[in-house]
Amino acid sequence: MQLWVPFCRKHNIEPRNPDSYFTQKTDPTKNKKRPDFVKDHRWIKREYDEFKVRINALPDVIRKRSEKYDRREEVKDKNISRQNSAASAETIESSKATWMADGTHWPGTWLNPAADHKKGDHAGIIQLMSKVPENEPVMGTEDEGKLDFTEVDIRLPMFVYVSREKRPGYDHEKKAGAMNSLVRASAILSNGPFILNLDCDHYIYNSMAIREGMCFMMDRGGDRICYIQFPQRFEGIDPSDRYANHNTVFFDGNMRALDGLQGPVYVGTGTMFRRYALYGFSPPRATEYSGIVGQIRKPAATLSPSVSLEAVRNQDDGHETVPLNEEHPDLNLPKKFGSSTMFVDSIEVAEYQGRPLADHVSVQNGRPAGALLAPRPPLDAPTVAEAIGVISCWYEENTEWGDRIGWIYGSVTEDVVTGYRMHNRGWRSIYCITKRDAFRGTAPINLTDRLHQVLRWATGSVEIFFSKNNAFLASSRLKFLQRIAYLNVGIYPFTSIFLVAYLFLPALCMFSGQFIVPNIDATFLTYLLLMTVTLCLISLLEVKWSGIALEEWWRNEQFWAIGGSSAHLAAVIQGLLKVIAGIEISFTLTSKSAADDEEDVYADLYVIKWSSLFVMPLTICITNIIALIMGTARTLFSVIPQWNKLVGGAFFSFWVLAHMYPFMKGLMGRKGKVTTIIYVWTGILSITVSLLWITISPPDDTAKI
């Protein structure tokens, strides 16, 4: 890190993820003008390769070192035991710890799990990997045989490893709980006014993206912005994007449209937050909307940040809360931040640091430029101890963390709920699309993993619909169209019920020999034409807004049918059973095969993992195929063949199968290697559908010749 960061600054390297940078297929010398770039690039590449070798050997090194140190400690314990005659040497059992190179215990989980040192049972850990940087630039020096940093700022940002306390039997609230712990610890250690949220499978692809996001926060009107959402871009996806992993219509169409309202929804990663907004406060300026479609606007009764912070201090002193709005509980001031006085004192500092620059008369709630140039005091032991205290298990007891403050608990999609709460208080968000992708990550590319990802999203949406976070219960500070957008977030999984009926309808028509309507008249054709033209116009609008090709749009439509008939329907069933009967069902993998071709970067695409989510789309495919066979046979062997009905019904059945083609292709795997359970299910479904229809509609004996 001490070499890589100055190297990137010296030669303007993008992306600054070394693994991504060195695996690029483009010419590394493109746009490079310094004559020493080739020498520096060759040297840093060799250093990085050697670093990876050391990392790969680290588990074995740690194990050998720990065994050596453990034997030494065991000998010490035996010698002490003999000297004190307190116990025999045979009864001494020394704990098998994990040791670091400096001769101290490795904090957290040990190679040999022990009490307080295993996964799910360890104290809070904070490791300062690099100190607080200097306030002024620090120029490097020329090191003979290595890199020349004489004109390069070699300062490193403060880098801290944080692991919250874990105890058995304690609900740690998964990702939301980890994010809240990190917010509190960072407030004690650095207290930056802005927070960047990235998933572990994402990395920064554009180092200037953070600065672009901060420009929105620091500009006029920026005091009302709670977060900046960047689009998600993915790597390692197959060229045809079989399962619509890029999700371009959503990120380049829907999210850009929401940017014209109150702002895009929070999607869990690639987001820059205003720290003050995460603490549950309302914006310094907000608007209330009333009327049938929210056409009547008036300023909301908010409090200035200084008054709000004074009220927080009064609450800590036992005084009465100053309410913002008694009509909706989400608009009151947050009451309980916890027992850390140092954390509460940091709130006012973070709010002031995040204010826009008062460089224009129109800027409200601004701060003068240069007001934050004082050097940051170095971290001391009491400060680090306080940071460890705020990430303990007990800290959130009797507080509003997860209920009003920070990331919200109680939902699989805590990201959407957290963003909704902010918009509900009157904050707005911004969608920032940079010329160069801001962040990049990975996505599941095989069928099962992709469907389970969609199932998790849909389950969270159903939970939102049946919770107090339903947009029907939103405050008057949520715009009418923004309310509609959040309603769609909670309602869209329920459209799977109608989608499944639509996908079975062509097969029923083929079985019965009747078309969708008894008679094709002008009224039916008019309705059909209007719906077709409307759908085509919507599709063209999506293609134009998203800037995608028709093939990518078609992949999106195909996966809409696949995901809607499987993951969305399963999420609705789970939600209804949980609400009505209190029964929780989890759809898990039942069999799994691993990718066996390490040379193929898309080998995981062909991995087949049987899941119960396959049952409904597989039933739809089998039913439509059997219906096509039976309908064709009926027409061929009838006395008066009705080819028009066959063509009409076959067209819609083929249309359904065309949407299901990626699903069927996914079941085939590589070179048609299908798992046995898929053959079994196909046979069972074929026999069941055939016998069921023969029972319902037996052959007519009078039709025999």
PDB file of all heavy atoms in Angstrom, residues 25-36:
ATOM      1  N   LYS A  25      -6.576  -5.951 -20.620  1.00  0.00           N
ATOM      2  CA  LYS A  25      -6.031  -6.360 -21.903  1.00  0.00           C
ATOM      3  C   LYS A  25      -5.581  -5.168 -22.750  1.00  0.00           C
ATOM      4  O   LYS A  25      -5.041  -5.355 -23.835  1.00  0.00           O
ATOM      5  CB  LYS A  25      -7.079  -7.171 -22.670  1.00  0.00           C
ATOM      6  CG  LYS A  25      -7.458  -8.474 -21.976  1.00  0.00           C
ATOM      7  CD  LYS A  25      -8.479  -9.264 -22.783  1.00  0.00           C
ATOM      8  CE  LYS A  25      -8.841 -10.560 -22.071  1.00  0.00           C
ATOM      9  NZ  LYS A  25      -9.840 -11.353 -22.842  1.00  0.00           N
ATOM     10  N   THR A  26      -5.806  -3.958 -22.259  1.00  0.00           N
ATOM     11  CA  THR A  26      -5.394  -2.774 -22.995  1.00  0.00           C
ATOM     12  C   THR A  26      -3.907  -2.489 -22.780  1.00  0.00           C
ATOM     13  O   THR A  26      -3.281  -3.021 -21.853  1.00  0.00           O
ATOM     14  CB  THR A  26      -6.219  -1.550 -22.546  1.00  0.00           C
ATOM     15  OG1 THR A  26      -6.050  -1.371 -21.132  1.00  0.00           O
ATOM     16  CG2 THR A  26      -7.691  -1.768 -22.851  1.00  0.00           C
ATOM     17  N   ASP A  27      -3.373  -1.627 -23.620  1.00  0.00           N
ATOM     18  CA  ASP A  27      -1.964  -1.251 -23.528  1.00  0.00           C
ATOM     19  C   ASP A  27      -1.755  -0.378 -22.295  1.00  0.00           C
ATOM     20  O   ASP A  27      -2.343   0.701 -22.189  1.00  0.00           O
ATOM     21  CB  ASP A  27      -1.561  -0.491 -24.789  1.00  0.00           C
ATOM     22  CG  ASP A  27      -0.080  -0.124 -24.798  1.00  0.00           C
ATOM     23  OD1 ASP A  27       0.643  -0.585 -23.890  1.00  0.00           O
ATOM     24  OD2 ASP A  27       0.337   0.617 -25.702  1.00  0.00           O
ATOM     25  N   PRO A  28      -0.910  -0.792 -21.318  1.00  0.00           N
ATOM     26  CA  PRO A  28      -0.742   0.009 -20.094  1.00  0.00           C
ATOM     27  C   PRO A  28      -0.051   1.345 -20.343  1.00  0.00           C
ATOM     28  O   PRO A  28      -0.151   2.257 -19.523  1.00  0.00           O
ATOM     29  CB  PRO A  28       0.102  -0.895 -19.194  1.00  0.00           C
ATOM     30  CG  PRO A  28       0.816  -1.813 -20.122  1.00  0.00           C
ATOM     31  CD  PRO A  28      -0.115  -2.029 -21.280  1.00  0.00           C
ATOM     32  N   THR A  29       0.670   1.474 -21.474  1.00  0.00           N
ATOM     33  CA  THR A  29       1.379   2.730 -21.742  1.00  0.00           C
ATOM     34  C   THR A  29       0.507   3.777 -22.423  1.00  0.00           C
ATOM     35  O   THR A  29       0.984   4.890 -22.681  1.00  0.00           O
ATOM     36  CB  THR A  29       2.597   2.448 -22.632  1.00  0.00           C
ATOM     37  OG1 THR A  29       2.155   1.915 -23.902  1.00  0.00           O
ATOM     38  CG2 THR A  29       3.531   1.452 -21.974  1.00  0.00           C
ATOM     39  N   LYS A  30      -0.747   3.456 -22.688  1.00  0.00           N
ATOM     40  CA  LYS A  30      -1.618   4.405 -23.376  1.00  0.00           C
ATOM     41  C   LYS A  30      -1.828   5.652 -22.508  1.00  0.00           C
ATOM     42  O   LYS A  30      -2.142   5.558 -21.330  1.00  0.00           O
ATOM     43  CB  LYS A  30      -2.960   3.740 -23.681  1.00  0.00           C
ATOM     44  CG  LYS A  30      -3.900   4.608 -24.496  1.00  0.00           C
ATOM     45  CD  LYS A  30      -5.196   3.858 -24.808  1.00  0.00           C
ATOM     46  CE  LYS A  30      -6.136   4.728 -25.637  1.00  0.00           C
ATOM     47  NZ  LYS A  30      -7.402   4.017 -25.952  1.00  0.00           N
ATOM     48  N   ASN A  31      -1.622   6.820 -23.119  1.00  0.00           N
ATOM     49  CA  ASN A  31      -1.788   8.134 -22.474  1.00  0.00           C
ATOM     50  C   ASN A  31      -0.762   8.387 -21.367  1.00  0.00           C
ATOM     51  O   ASN A  31      -0.931   9.335 -20.588  1.00  0.00           O
ATOM     52  CB  ASN A  31      -3.204   8.307 -21.904  1.00  0.00           C
ATOM     53  CG  ASN A  31      -4.276   8.222 -22.973  1.00  0.00           C
ATOM     54  OD1 ASN A  31      -4.059   8.649 -24.105  1.00  0.00           O
ATOM     55  ND2 ASN A  31      -5.431   7.676 -22.610  1.00  0.00           N
ATOM     56  N   LYS A  32       0.256   7.567 -21.253  1.00  0.00           N
ATOM     57  CA  LYS A  32       1.311   7.788 -20.265  1.00  0.00           C
ATOM     58  C   LYS A  32       2.459   8.568 -20.922  1.00  0.00           C
ATOM     59  O   LYS A  32       2.927   8.201 -22.001  1.00  0.00           O
ATOM     60  CB  LYS A  32       1.819   6.458 -19.697  1.00  0.00           C
ATOM     61  CG  LYS A  32       0.740   5.669 -18.951  1.00  0.00           C
ATOM     62  CD  LYS A  32       0.269   6.434 -17.735  1.00  0.00           C
ATOM     63  CE  LYS A  32      -0.757   5.650 -16.938  1.00  0.00           C
ATOM     64  NZ  LYS A  32      -2.042   5.483 -17.630  1.00  0.00           N
ATOM     65  N   LYS A  33       2.918   9.632 -20.250  1.00  0.00           N
ATOM     66  CA  LYS A  33       3.913  10.529 -20.839  1.00  0.00           C
ATOM     67  C   LYS A  33       5.249  10.517 -20.100  1.00  0.00           C
ATOM     68  O   LYS A  33       6.260  10.922 -20.667  1.00  0.00           O
ATOM     69  CB  LYS A  33       3.358  11.952 -20.870  1.00  0.00           C
ATOM     70  CG  LYS A  33       2.074  12.087 -21.683  1.00  0.00           C
ATOM     71  CD  LYS A  33       1.528  13.507 -21.648  1.00  0.00           C
ATOM     72  CE  LYS A  33       0.242  13.608 -22.453  1.00  0.00           C
ATOM     73  NZ  LYS A  33      -0.336  14.987 -22.416  1.00  0.00           N
ATOM     74  N   ARG A  34       5.272  10.097 -18.862  1.00  0.00           N
ATOM     75  CA  ARG A  34       6.530  10.115 -18.109  1.00  0.00           C
ATOM     76  C   ARG A  34       7.447   9.006 -18.608  1.00  0.00           C
ATOM     77  O   ARG A  34       7.024   7.847 -18.759  1.00  0.00           O
ATOM     78  CB  ARG A  34       6.263   9.949 -16.623  1.00  0.00           C
ATOM     79  CG  ARG A  34       5.403  11.065 -16.029  1.00  0.00           C
ATOM     80  CD  ARG A  34       5.299  10.932 -14.521  1.00  0.00           C
ATOM     81  NE  ARG A  34       6.598  11.075 -13.884  1.00  0.00           N
ATOM     82  CZ  ARG A  34       6.841  11.887 -12.859  1.00  0.00           C
ATOM     83  NH1 ARG A  34       5.884  12.662 -12.390  1.00  0.00           N
ATOM     84  NH2 ARG A  34       8.031  11.922 -12.315  1.00  0.00           N
ATOM     85  N   PRO A  35       8.710   9.339 -18.860  1.00  0.00           N
ATOM     86  CA  PRO A  35       9.619   8.326 -19.419  1.00  0.00           C
ATOM     87  C   PRO A  35       9.933   7.179 -18.467  1.00  0.00           C
ATOM     88  O   PRO A  35      10.365   6.113 -18.909  1.00  0.00           O
ATOM     89  CB  PRO A  35      10.887   9.134 -19.733  1.00  0.00           C
ATOM     90  CG  PRO A  35      10.810  10.340 -18.848  1.00  0.00           C
ATOM     91  CD  PRO A  35       9.351  10.653 -18.693  1.00  0.00           C
ATOM     92  N   ASP A  36       9.742   7.372 -17.164  1.00  0.00           N
ATOM     93  CA  ASP A  36      10.067   6.307 -16.215  1.00  0.00           C
ATOM     94  C   ASP A  36       8.872   5.400 -15.927  1.00  0.00           C
ATOM     95  O   ASP A  36       8.942   4.563 -15.015  1.00  0.00           O
ATOM     96  CB  ASP A  36      10.587   6.906 -14.907  1.00  0.00           C
ATOM     97  CG  ASP A  36       9.583   7.870 -14.276  1.00  0.00           C
ATOM     98  OD1 ASP A  36       8.605   8.243 -14.960  1.00  0.00           O
ATOM     99  OD2 ASP A  36       9.788   8.259 -13.104  1.00  0.00           O
TER     100      ASP A  36
END
